[in-house]
Amino acid sequence: MYKTVLSRMKFALGLVAASSIAFTSPSIQAQSWPDKPVKLVIPFAAGGTTDILGRLLAQQLSTEWKQNVIVENKGGAGGNIAADLVAKSPADGYTIMLASGSMLTVNPYLYKKLPIDYDKDFKVITNVASGPMLLSVNPKVPAKNVKELIALAKTKNLNFGSAGIGSQVHMAGENFTYAAGVNATHVPYKGESAALNDLVAGQIDFMVGNLTAATGFAKSGQIRPLGVTSAKRVPQLPDVPTIAETIPGFENTGWFGLVVPAGTPNAIVDKIYRSTLEAFKNPEFKARVEGAGLTPVLNTPQEFAAQIKKEGANWEKIVKARNLSQ
């Protein structure tokens, strides 16, 4: 009888202990996280704006966490290849993705068949930074300003390049042609840098690229900048007018946000968010990001989710109006 009671007590105590461990494990896990290298997935090829910002952030977070943050480029399918990889990774905080805005706000409406559900398969952390874009032509195109490019597009079939179907660069180009009332043929690439190289080479006529990636080409005269997509002119290219000076009200901002697999513990999500905030308190790091033409945003996960929902509704209209569904 005594042995039976003792066995039952041990069993009960074991259940209590197991329950206690299960209950406390997320916070314990967050306290020790990260205790090994973290992977930051970039959903486009090296050299584009997502890659530039990602590498800057990875370097700073490595310092914050005293662990290596390894950048891994997984380009293709407008970011969907990387998104699929990350969504199906262990939800332990060791796989993070720096997504472009278009992935979260455009891809759900652009692609009829996706291997993932962007809304359900990820937890969003923060919009890290945003920045304007730059409408440019290759020097062989005779247009010297936005008005002349629009006039040319009404008489000739022009093409424009992008970082891939559904990328921010693609949607900015579609947004511009939609606002200008013209048609142009979209030429997708596997990354922004590849598209810019072909713009320089004269293989494509124009492009609405991220300011960060395109400014160097513009300053060197390899491409001709016609207009920035922000509401005001930018200090990096003060002599370049806004597109809004020709098309009133036009504005198109690119942005980049951190996401993790949906099952990632909230305590780890919070730690990544707070570490990102701390990163931008470093004056040198912040200056490098701003020097690349980007503005820190750093909204909360809740604010970020609301932003995605609002912008997604707007892009859904453009996808339908331009008949862009894949």
Side-chain angles (χ1 to χ4, degrees), residues 53 56-57 60 276 279-280 282-290:
L53 175 61
L56 288 173
L57 184 60
Q60 189 61 31
T276 307
F280 277 90
N282 181 295
E284 183 179 348
F285 170 71
K286 184 180 179 183
R288 291 176 72 187
V289 172
E290 292 176 338

Side-chain angles (χ1 to χ4, degrees), residues 127 142 306:
N127 179 340

Side-chain angles (χ1 to χ4, degrees), residues 125 143 250:
I125 300 175
F250 184 89

Side-chain angles (χ1 to χ4, degrees), residues 6 13 16 30 45 55 63 75 82 115 127 157 197-198 220 243 250 271:
L6 184 61
L13 288 170
V16 171
R55 290 179 186 278
T63 302
N127 179 340
N157 183 25
N197 287 333
D198 264 13
S220 67
I243 294 176
F250 184 89
K271 194 167 185 179

Side-chain angles (χ1 to χ4, degrees), residues 140-162:
K140 297 177 183 177
V141 174
K144 299 297 191 295
N145 53 52
V146 175
K147 185 177 180 180
E148 289 182 7
L149 180 63
I150 294 172
L152 184 63
K154 290 180 178 179
T155 62
K156 183 181 179 181
N157 183 25
L158 301 179
N159 58 37
F160 69 98
S162 82

Side-chain angles (χ1 to χ4, degrees), residues 20-325:
S20 176
I21 291 170
F23 179 76
T24 59
S25 60
S27 60
I28 293 173
Q29 186 180 11
Q31 287 173 17
S32 61
W33 183 95
D35 58 8
K36 62 181 181 180
V38 177
K39 180 165 62 179
L40 179 63
V41 178
I42 305 299
F44 300 99
T49 303
T50 319
D51 180 67
I52 293 169
L53 175 61
R55 290 179 186 278
L56 288 173
L57 184 60
Q59 184 179 17
Q60 189 61 31
L61 289 178
S62 293
T63 302
E64 295 282 331
W65 293 333
K66 296 180 174 57
Q67 285 288 348
N68 288 333
V69 178
I70 302 166
V71 172
E72 183 176 313
N73 295 85
K74 285 286 182 181
N80 291 328
I81 292 175
D84 185 41
L85 170 72
V86 173
K88 294 171 181 175
S89 296
D92 55 10
Y94 289 99
T95 302
I96 307 170
M97 180 169 68
L98 181 64
S100 68
S102 61
M103 291 173 62
L104 303 174
T105 63
V106 177
N107 285 6
Y109 309 106
L110 183 67
Y111 292 92
K112 294 178 181 178
K113 292 183 179 180
L114 284 171
I116 55 168
D117 185 322
Y118 276 93
D119 185 46
K120 296 179 180 178
D121 291 342
F122 296 103
K123 277 187 180 178
V124 299
I125 300 175
T126 187
N127 179 340
V128 178
S130 66
M133 306 181 82
L134 181 67
L135 170 63
S136 304
V137 297
N138 78 63
K140 297 177 183 177
V141 174
K144 299 297 191 295
N145 53 52
V146 175
K147 185 177 180 180
E148 289 182 7
L149 180 63
I150 294 172
L152 184 63
K154 290 180 178 179
T155 62
K156 183 181 179 181
N157 183 25
L158 301 179
N159 58 37
F160 69 98
S162 82
I165 296 172
S167 65
Q168 289 189 140
V169 180
H170 173 206
M171 298 313 296
E174 295 288 355
N175 198 11
F176 167 69
T177 56
Y178 177 67
V182 299
N183 289 311
T185 302
H186 173 226
V187 182
Y189 290 81
K190 289 187 177 180
E192 186 175 13
S193 59
L196 278 166
N197 287 333
D198 264 13
L199 182 66
V200 171
Q203 299 300 311
I204 51 178
D205 297 312
F206 72 93
M207 180 174 167
V208 188
N210 286 292
L211 186 71
T212 304
T215 297
F217 293 101
K219 287 185 175 181
S220 67
Q222 292 174 283
I223 59 177
R224 183 184 303 126
L226 302 186
V228 291
T229 64
S230 50
K232 297 180 179 179
R233 297 191 183 198
V234 297
Q236 291 85 352
L237 298 167
D239 296 329
V240 178
T242 66
I243 294 176
E245 290 175 44
T246 302
I247 306 174
F250 184 89
E251 189 173 1
N252 196 115
T253 302
W255 54 261
F256 311 88
L258 293 174
V259 303
V260 289
T264 305
N266 288 335
I268 291 179
V269 170
D270 184 63
K271 194 167 185 179
I272 296 171
Y273 172 60
R274 294 187 183 282
S275 295
T276 307
L277 295 183
E278 285 298 316
F280 277 90
K281 291 180 181 178
N282 181 295
E284 183 179 348
F285 170 71
K286 184 180 179 183
R288 291 176 72 187
V289 172
E290 292 176 338
L294 297 168
T295 301
V297 178
L298 305 173
N299 50 6
T300 66
Q302 295 76 20
E303 291 168 338
F304 189 24
Q307 176 192 354
I308 291 168
K309 184 176 181 180
K310 181 179 179 180
E311 289 190 18
N314 291 331
W315 282 117
E316 183 181 12
K317 295 176 184 177
I318 292 177
V319 169
K320 288 181 178 178
R322 302 292 292 179
N323 193 27
L324 299 175
S325 294

